[in-house]
Amino acid sequence: MAETVNILGPARNRVDGRLKVTGAAKYSVEFQVPNCAYGWTVESNVAKGKILSIDTKSAQAAPGVLAIVTHLNAPKPKEPAAKKHRGQTDGIRNEERVPFSDDEIHYAGQYVALVVAKTIEQARYAASLVKVSYAPEEPLLTMNAAKSSATKPKGSFGPVQIKKGDVDLPLKGTSLTKIEQIYTTPTETHNPIEMSGTIAAWDRDDKLTLYDATQFVKGVQSVIARAWNLPIENVRVICPFVGGAFGCKGAVWPHVFAAAMGAKAAGVPVKMHVTRRNMFVGTGHRTPTTQTIALAATRDGKLRAMRHVSHIATSPVGDHVESCGARSTGMMYESPAIQVEETLHKINVASTTFMRAPGECPGTYALECAMDELAYALKMDPVQLRLTNYADNHPVKNVPFSAKHLKECYQVGAEKFGWAKRNPQPRSMRDGDLLGGWGMATKTYPAHKMEAAAKVMLRADGSATVQCAAHDLGTGAYTALTQIASEQLGVPFEKVKFELGDTDFPFGPVAGGSNTTGTVGTAIHEVAQLLHKALADLAVKDSESPLYNLSSNDIAMIAPGHIGSKIDNKKSDAYIDILRRAGRGSIEVQSELKEPEENKKMAFQSFGADFVEVKIDPLLPRVQVTRVVSVINCGRVVTFKPARNQIIGGINMGIGMALMEATEYDPQTGLPATRNLADYHVVTNADAPVIDVTFVGEPDFAFNPIGCRGIGEIGITGAAAAVASAIYHATGKRVRDLPITPDKLMDIA
Amino acid sequence: MNSSDDEVPGDETPPLRSSDAFHEILIFGSPETRRRFLKQVAGTSVAITVGSPLSLFAQRMSETAGGSAPSSAATLPLRLKINGKDVAVEVDTRTTLLDLLREQLHLTGSKKGCDHGQCGACTVLVNGRRINSCLSLAIVHDGEEVTTIEGLANGEQLHPVQAAFVEHDGFQCGYCTPGQICSAVACIKEGHVKSDDEIREWMSGNLCRCGAYPNIVDAIKEAAAKSA
Ligand code: FES
Ligand code: FES
């Protein structure tokens, strides 16, 4: 099979493209639900303390108001935390507390009341009339302030703390070239353009339908069903389209509970569209990080020790761990001694969550900047330094990477970019009045496998419908999974309909960890085998079939639309003929949900390299990224257009991280001071460079039968480091504190 | 509450575009403030000439201000042409054009991405010009022509900009896309497509957090070339 499948899938247009360009694609809060009322929240303006009183009288009397939910009257879910059930199938909570469960305030912006009214305007106006008084306490707003209660978390999708060999000796010795620097990244907020939102509709008291903007319909179903003590099938979650997520729609956040509570209290369905303002508080963000990296290398550039010490944060009711060091320094380069340490601080700022490449993204930023600094200390080309420390085996697990191809990424990237023409001397590559700089960095993201099942219905007209409760966040899952279904089932692409985003379908995993295509693709692969077996079972009993009386075990798909004998290749039968002769309009099979098999003999990890050019007007001094070449190996690329787009999008987000993104907090109140898109800057069209994306390598069939390792997250990794290194090359100034805004470059002229 | 034509000024008076005056009236807290404000407005005819909706609104408000529920919002009749169809609705004066489209008329193609005029997801064409519909009260558009993403295609045939977005994969999640496309239609009409950089600049009011910008530029270039 490996010979017949090209690394690049067809350059198809998206199957959902037409729906998206005509406005017909329905996102969660756009479903028409009769009698739907609107929810509007009231948020705490203190960061820590207790609610003393809530006066809802005038709000209650305002026109259109149907209900007001506070901790005093909230319909309480029965099993609030459900902490013990945290497996892949049980949903994700990055905030353990259910909203309105008591009078405690853990962070500013926490929901303290929900007003339900007939229209948005009425709900919003009435919410402004709710008066809350607090007994504020001194909040802990920074990691430094929360030092005493800091912990060393153990696991978060793999180990967080790592110790291999002894780093102290080489780092203390004098014979090696060493660097040690502190890199900081601010709080970053996902800000997908679709704000989170939920419509909750109860049917009597025990059936709930949620139209929810989520990366995990089955997770929402599980969490909410357990919280309200309902049989799981009584909760249905629907989400055919997600307007971007980047991690902030993976966990079940307070507004989902709130919508269900509001609907229960008001006796009508409730729509809650989280405001952009509350997207900075109520749906997670990436933790700020402080990362100290120490490297020691021989004169010829061989690493002898790497130490990566990180500090991260979450709220007192949060549990997310951003594993920076383990997911970068813990796997990237060959070194006899590697030490990774990470400390979690609980501060009175809203809960953190995973954001695109959690761990890898800030981790590779720090590590790859440090590698650039080491290259300069050694007077060595940055690409050469990486090649010198190339790891064929996973440096900690000590097993080979399945198919790494990173050398090829460096070579192809350097060539396309013209890296050989780089003069390493800072400030040496001017373009008229502008300072020019070139930087590069390694990208990486692991391959994740989760659980999924799929159902297929093949019809006598040769068309098929495949279902799995998966998600398309803009990743192209609809298109990629249609493509995989077409290949695996042996049904033409145009005749396959892939459906997702509904808990009535078989289990689909969280759309996280870049796992959807591989995981759901594997489930499709399995259900295709079942379908072929079911067709064979019909054919071998049918005296008119060329396959009559053969053993169905000797039969497999031999060509699209046909099964045939594995022994005698002249014997075959067409799907449609089998169904027609059997008098069947259709045939339906479903695969079982089972734990994925882990191959522990190899490490499955994607790699890539970014080459970046920046131009800086020294007088302003604003950084413009003008050109990026990115070369990626992620196994098979199932559909080229959406895959390329994912890399472009990841790099643009990495540029935003490098140059402009930061959620700032008011040091007095703990409220985000940047709570809208005018203050929290993301890359605009004018900021976005030309990005050349190339995929290299081979399908990774050792990982799964589709050969793909995922594409959604690797794009952002390394990008910020490549930009920061290019800025150093352009200016001679190292800025280690992101984002690199003009104020930090004022002295470069 | 009936609207009558003589309350609507002629075309020579530019309609009030900014919602600031309404904002003032509507965000304030107490009914007293509002009555005071309305009295002031009633006493200054100059203020009223800024546009029909305000004067209409002021009149309606003074009719209801003495009524039983001072905090109850006023509704007014509103007539629009949306995607070529005449629409007549009764609208809360606080309702934005975006919420009117999405919540009352169920035209959910126009997206809410910020509700603050900062992302462009809600971009629609009003009398052919691109505006952020979240930043504009519905009532100020009485008598105007609105084109939303739902009104661009000609039956089954996509508008050239829509077709180019599909071909160039000018989106990922698709949530900014209706706004990008409406904006691009106007951008081409405005003639701001002479270079890639010009397109980038004039399309920068439409954020795409998925970051599909290079593909958006390619799509607009192609559509512009075809329409030239
Ligand atoms: S929703 Fe109108 S500009 Fe963002
Ligand atoms: S396509 Fe997702 S925001 Fe543009």
Side-chain angles (χ1 to χ4, degrees), chain A residues 193 195 677, chain B residues 98 111-123 131-135 205:
Chain A
I193 297 298
M195 304 172 296
L677 293 171
Chain B
L98 178 62
K111 303 303 181 195
K112 185 183 282 187
C114 69
D115 221 10
H116 281 69
Q118 298 170 340
C119 75
C122 64
T123 306
I131 69 156
N132 290 335
S133 63
C134 73
L135 211 57

PDB file of all heavy atoms in Angstrom, chain A residues 193 195 677, chain B residues 98 111-123 131-135 205, ligand 1:
ATOM      1  N   ILE A 193     -12.790  33.507  15.890  1.00  0.00           N
ATOM      2  CA  ILE A 193     -13.743  34.573  15.551  1.00  0.00           C
ATOM      3  C   ILE A 193     -15.167  34.193  15.977  1.00  0.00           C
ATOM      4  O   ILE A 193     -15.951  35.053  16.359  1.00  0.00           O
ATOM      5  CB  ILE A 193     -13.638  34.945  14.053  1.00  0.00           C
ATOM      6  CG1 ILE A 193     -12.239  35.514  13.768  1.00  0.00           C
ATOM      7  CG2 ILE A 193     -14.674  35.988  13.668  1.00  0.00           C
ATOM      8  CD1 ILE A 193     -11.877  36.792  14.521  1.00  0.00           C
ATOM      9  N   MET A 195     -17.347  33.302  18.785  1.00  0.00           N
ATOM     10  CA  MET A 195     -17.305  33.233  20.238  1.00  0.00           C
ATOM     11  C   MET A 195     -18.043  31.966  20.661  1.00  0.00           C
ATOM     12  O   MET A 195     -18.931  31.496  19.960  1.00  0.00           O
ATOM     13  CB  MET A 195     -17.973  34.480  20.806  1.00  0.00           C
ATOM     14  CG  MET A 195     -17.312  35.750  20.278  1.00  0.00           C
ATOM     15  SD  MET A 195     -18.149  37.281  20.687  1.00  0.00           S
ATOM     16  CE  MET A 195     -19.710  37.153  19.868  1.00  0.00           C
ATOM     17  N   LEU A 677     -10.916  42.839  20.776  1.00  0.00           N
ATOM     18  CA  LEU A 677      -9.977  42.613  19.669  1.00  0.00           C
ATOM     19  C   LEU A 677      -9.271  43.889  19.216  1.00  0.00           C
ATOM     20  O   LEU A 677      -8.395  43.836  18.359  1.00  0.00           O
ATOM     21  CB  LEU A 677     -10.706  41.957  18.488  1.00  0.00           C
ATOM     22  CG  LEU A 677     -11.188  40.531  18.778  1.00  0.00           C
ATOM     23  CD1 LEU A 677     -12.077  40.021  17.653  1.00  0.00           C
ATOM     24  CD2 LEU A 677     -10.015  39.585  19.006  1.00  0.00           C
TER      25      LEU A 677
ATOM     26  N   LEU B  98     -27.147  43.789  12.935  1.00  0.00           N
ATOM     27  CA  LEU B  98     -26.703  42.395  12.970  1.00  0.00           C
ATOM     28  C   LEU B  98     -27.696  41.511  13.724  1.00  0.00           C
ATOM     29  O   LEU B  98     -28.073  40.437  13.258  1.00  0.00           O
ATOM     30  CB  LEU B  98     -25.314  42.298  13.623  1.00  0.00           C
ATOM     31  CG  LEU B  98     -24.756  40.880  13.757  1.00  0.00           C
ATOM     32  CD1 LEU B  98     -24.574  40.216  12.398  1.00  0.00           C
ATOM     33  CD2 LEU B  98     -23.436  40.874  14.533  1.00  0.00           C
ATOM     34  N   LYS B 111     -22.117  37.114  10.600  1.00  0.00           N
ATOM     35  CA  LYS B 111     -21.642  36.525  11.859  1.00  0.00           C
ATOM     36  C   LYS B 111     -21.367  37.567  12.918  1.00  0.00           C
ATOM     37  O   LYS B 111     -20.978  38.697  12.614  1.00  0.00           O
ATOM     38  CB  LYS B 111     -20.359  35.731  11.604  1.00  0.00           C
ATOM     39  CG  LYS B 111     -20.486  34.638  10.555  1.00  0.00           C
ATOM     40  CD  LYS B 111     -21.570  33.639  10.877  1.00  0.00           C
ATOM     41  CE  LYS B 111     -21.656  32.542   9.827  1.00  0.00           C
ATOM     42  NZ  LYS B 111     -22.919  31.784   9.944  1.00  0.00           N
ATOM     43  N   LYS B 112     -21.522  37.143  14.154  1.00  0.00           N
ATOM     44  CA  LYS B 112     -21.140  37.996  15.282  1.00  0.00           C
ATOM     45  C   LYS B 112     -19.814  37.482  15.834  1.00  0.00           C
ATOM     46  O   LYS B 112     -19.735  36.382  16.351  1.00  0.00           O
ATOM     47  CB  LYS B 112     -22.209  37.960  16.370  1.00  0.00           C
ATOM     48  CG  LYS B 112     -21.910  38.936  17.514  1.00  0.00           C
ATOM     49  CD  LYS B 112     -22.940  38.861  18.635  1.00  0.00           C
ATOM     50  CE  LYS B 112     -24.218  39.593  18.278  1.00  0.00           C
ATOM     51  NZ  LYS B 112     -25.146  39.672  19.428  1.00  0.00           N
ATOM     52  N   GLY B 113     -18.772  38.302  15.684  1.00  0.00           N
ATOM     53  CA  GLY B 113     -17.466  37.873  16.148  1.00  0.00           C
ATOM     54  C   GLY B 113     -16.943  38.723  17.285  1.00  0.00           C
ATOM     55  O   GLY B 113     -15.945  38.375  17.912  1.00  0.00           O
ATOM     56  N   CYS B 114     -17.576  39.859  17.512  1.00  0.00           N
ATOM     57  CA  CYS B 114     -17.091  40.710  18.601  1.00  0.00           C
ATOM     58  C   CYS B 114     -18.188  41.632  19.109  1.00  0.00           C
ATOM     59  O   CYS B 114     -18.227  41.987  20.259  1.00  0.00           O
ATOM     60  CB  CYS B 114     -15.870  41.520  18.158  1.00  0.00           C
ATOM     61  SG  CYS B 114     -16.243  42.793  16.931  1.00  0.00           S
ATOM     62  N   ASP B 115     -19.115  42.019  18.205  1.00  0.00           N
ATOM     63  CA  ASP B 115     -20.207  42.922  18.566  1.00  0.00           C
ATOM     64  C   ASP B 115     -19.683  44.322  18.869  1.00  0.00           C
ATOM     65  O   ASP B 115     -20.371  45.116  19.489  1.00  0.00           O
ATOM     66  CB  ASP B 115     -20.955  42.356  19.788  1.00  0.00           C
ATOM     67  CG  ASP B 115     -22.471  42.525  19.647  1.00  0.00           C
ATOM     68  OD1 ASP B 115     -22.919  42.897  18.545  1.00  0.00           O
ATOM     69  OD2 ASP B 115     -23.193  42.281  20.630  1.00  0.00           O
ATOM     70  N   HIS B 116     -18.458  44.608  18.460  1.00  0.00           N
ATOM     71  CA  HIS B 116     -17.830  45.884  18.787  1.00  0.00           C
ATOM     72  C   HIS B 116     -17.210  46.579  17.581  1.00  0.00           C
ATOM     73  O   HIS B 116     -16.403  47.479  17.746  1.00  0.00           O
ATOM     74  CB  HIS B 116     -16.675  45.654  19.774  1.00  0.00           C
ATOM     75  CG  HIS B 116     -17.100  45.450  21.172  1.00  0.00           C
ATOM     76  ND1 HIS B 116     -17.768  44.320  21.591  1.00  0.00           N
ATOM     77  CD2 HIS B 116     -16.961  46.220  22.264  1.00  0.00           C
ATOM     78  CE1 HIS B 116     -18.006  44.418  22.882  1.00  0.00           C
ATOM     79  NE2 HIS B 116     -17.529  45.550  23.311  1.00  0.00           N
ATOM     80  N   GLY B 117     -17.498  46.106  16.398  1.00  0.00           N
ATOM     81  CA  GLY B 117     -16.893  46.742  15.237  1.00  0.00           C
ATOM     82  C   GLY B 117     -15.406  46.503  15.115  1.00  0.00           C
ATOM     83  O   GLY B 117     -14.685  47.307  14.532  1.00  0.00           O
ATOM     84  N   GLN B 118     -14.924  45.396  15.638  1.00  0.00           N
ATOM     85  CA  GLN B 118     -13.478  45.172  15.645  1.00  0.00           C
ATOM     86  C   GLN B 118     -13.019  44.002  14.782  1.00  0.00           C
ATOM     87  O   GLN B 118     -11.822  43.815  14.606  1.00  0.00           O
ATOM     88  CB  GLN B 118     -13.011  44.931  17.088  1.00  0.00           C
ATOM     89  CG  GLN B 118     -13.262  46.130  17.994  1.00  0.00           C
ATOM     90  CD  GLN B 118     -13.025  45.808  19.446  1.00  0.00           C
ATOM     91  OE1 GLN B 118     -13.030  44.644  19.839  1.00  0.00           O
ATOM     92  NE2 GLN B 118     -12.837  46.841  20.257  1.00  0.00           N
ATOM     93  N   CYS B 119     -13.956  43.179  14.289  1.00  0.00           N
ATOM     94  CA  CYS B 119     -13.500  41.973  13.591  1.00  0.00           C
ATOM     95  C   CYS B 119     -13.980  41.877  12.149  1.00  0.00           C
ATOM     96  O   CYS B 119     -13.395  41.169  11.348  1.00  0.00           O
ATOM     97  CB  CYS B 119     -13.923  40.721  14.362  1.00  0.00           C
ATOM     98  SG  CYS B 119     -15.677  40.330  14.219  1.00  0.00           S
ATOM     99  N   GLY B 120     -15.080  42.528  11.842  1.00  0.00           N
ATOM    100  CA  GLY B 120     -15.565  42.503  10.468  1.00  0.00           C
ATOM    101  C   GLY B 120     -16.408  41.301  10.084  1.00  0.00           C
ATOM    102  O   GLY B 120     -16.883  41.212   8.954  1.00  0.00           O
ATOM    103  N   ALA B 121     -16.627  40.361  11.014  1.00  0.00           N
ATOM    104  CA  ALA B 121     -17.394  39.161  10.682  1.00  0.00           C
ATOM    105  C   ALA B 121     -18.834  39.499  10.298  1.00  0.00           C
ATOM    106  O   ALA B 121     -19.500  38.747   9.595  1.00  0.00           O
ATOM    107  CB  ALA B 121     -17.386  38.187  11.858  1.00  0.00           C
ATOM    108  N   CYS B 122     -19.306  40.648  10.748  1.00  0.00           N
ATOM    109  CA  CYS B 122     -20.708  41.044  10.532  1.00  0.00           C
ATOM    110  C   CYS B 122     -20.864  41.926   9.308  1.00  0.00           C
ATOM    111  O   CYS B 122     -21.919  42.515   9.108  1.00  0.00           O
ATOM    112  CB  CYS B 122     -21.196  41.789  11.760  1.00  0.00           C
ATOM    113  SG  CYS B 122     -20.272  43.322  11.992  1.00  0.00           S
ATOM    114  N   THR B 123     -19.809  42.051   8.493  1.00  0.00           N
ATOM    115  CA  THR B 123     -19.855  42.980   7.361  1.00  0.00           C
ATOM    116  C   THR B 123     -21.000  42.652   6.395  1.00  0.00           C
ATOM    117  O   THR B 123     -21.149  41.512   5.962  1.00  0.00           O
ATOM    118  CB  THR B 123     -18.518  42.950   6.585  1.00  0.00           C
ATOM    119  OG1 THR B 123     -17.454  43.197   7.493  1.00  0.00           O
ATOM    120  CG2 THR B 123     -18.508  43.992   5.469  1.00  0.00           C
ATOM    121  N   ILE B 131     -20.366  47.834   5.654  1.00  0.00           N
ATOM    122  CA  ILE B 131     -20.405  48.357   7.025  1.00  0.00           C
ATOM    123  C   ILE B 131     -20.360  47.192   8.011  1.00  0.00           C
ATOM    124  O   ILE B 131     -20.671  46.059   7.666  1.00  0.00           O
ATOM    125  CB  ILE B 131     -21.667  49.208   7.319  1.00  0.00           C
ATOM    126  CG1 ILE B 131     -22.917  48.317   7.335  1.00  0.00           C
ATOM    127  CG2 ILE B 131     -21.833  50.350   6.340  1.00  0.00           C
ATOM    128  CD1 ILE B 131     -24.041  48.913   8.164  1.00  0.00           C
ATOM    129  N   ASN B 132     -19.989  47.516   9.234  1.00  0.00           N
ATOM    130  CA  ASN B 132     -20.070  46.531  10.312  1.00  0.00           C
ATOM    131  C   ASN B 132     -21.487  46.583  10.879  1.00  0.00           C
ATOM    132  O   ASN B 132     -21.855  47.545  11.547  1.00  0.00           O
ATOM    133  CB  ASN B 132     -19.066  46.854  11.422  1.00  0.00           C
ATOM    134  CG  ASN B 132     -17.638  46.622  10.985  1.00  0.00           C
ATOM    135  OD1 ASN B 132     -17.389  45.828  10.078  1.00  0.00           O
ATOM    136  ND2 ASN B 132     -16.708  47.289  11.624  1.00  0.00           N
ATOM    137  N   SER B 133     -22.260  45.551  10.629  1.00  0.00           N
ATOM    138  CA  SER B 133     -23.678  45.630  11.010  1.00  0.00           C
ATOM    139  C   SER B 133     -23.878  45.545  12.516  1.00  0.00           C
ATOM    140  O   SER B 133     -24.936  45.871  13.024  1.00  0.00           O
ATOM    141  CB  SER B 133     -24.482  44.544  10.297  1.00  0.00           C
ATOM    142  OG  SER B 133     -24.050  43.262  10.675  1.00  0.00           O
ATOM    143  N   CYS B 134     -22.850  45.115  13.252  1.00  0.00           N
ATOM    144  CA  CYS B 134     -22.988  45.069  14.712  1.00  0.00           C
ATOM    145  C   CYS B 134     -22.872  46.463  15.305  1.00  0.00           C
ATOM    146  O   CYS B 134     -23.221  46.680  16.457  1.00  0.00           O
ATOM    147  CB  CYS B 134     -21.907  44.180  15.334  1.00  0.00           C
ATOM    148  SG  CYS B 134     -20.264  44.916  15.314  1.00  0.00           S
ATOM    149  N   LEU B 135     -22.349  47.377  14.513  1.00  0.00           N
ATOM    150  CA  LEU B 135     -22.030  48.705  15.043  1.00  0.00           C
ATOM    151  C   LEU B 135     -23.061  49.724  14.583  1.00  0.00           C
ATOM    152  O   LEU B 135     -22.826  50.911  14.615  1.00  0.00           O
ATOM    153  CB  LEU B 135     -20.645  49.100  14.537  1.00  0.00           C
ATOM    154  CG  LEU B 135     -19.795  49.996  15.414  1.00  0.00           C
ATOM    155  CD1 LEU B 135     -19.607  49.369  16.770  1.00  0.00           C
ATOM    156  CD2 LEU B 135     -18.447  50.251  14.762  1.00  0.00           C
ATOM    157  N   GLY B 205      -9.682  45.164   7.878  1.00  0.00           N
ATOM    158  CA  GLY B 205     -10.777  45.305   8.845  1.00  0.00           C
ATOM    159  C   GLY B 205     -11.504  44.000   9.079  1.00  0.00           C
ATOM    160  O   GLY B 205     -12.400  43.923   9.912  1.00  0.00           O
TER     161      GLY B 205
HETATM  162  S1  FES C   1     -19.161  41.460  14.965  1.00  0.00           S
HETATM  163 FE1  FES C   1     -19.228  43.328  13.978  1.00  0.00          FE
HETATM  164  S2  FES C   1     -17.171  43.847  13.711  1.00  0.00           S
HETATM  165 FE2  FES C   1     -17.098  42.056  14.924  1.00  0.00          FE
END
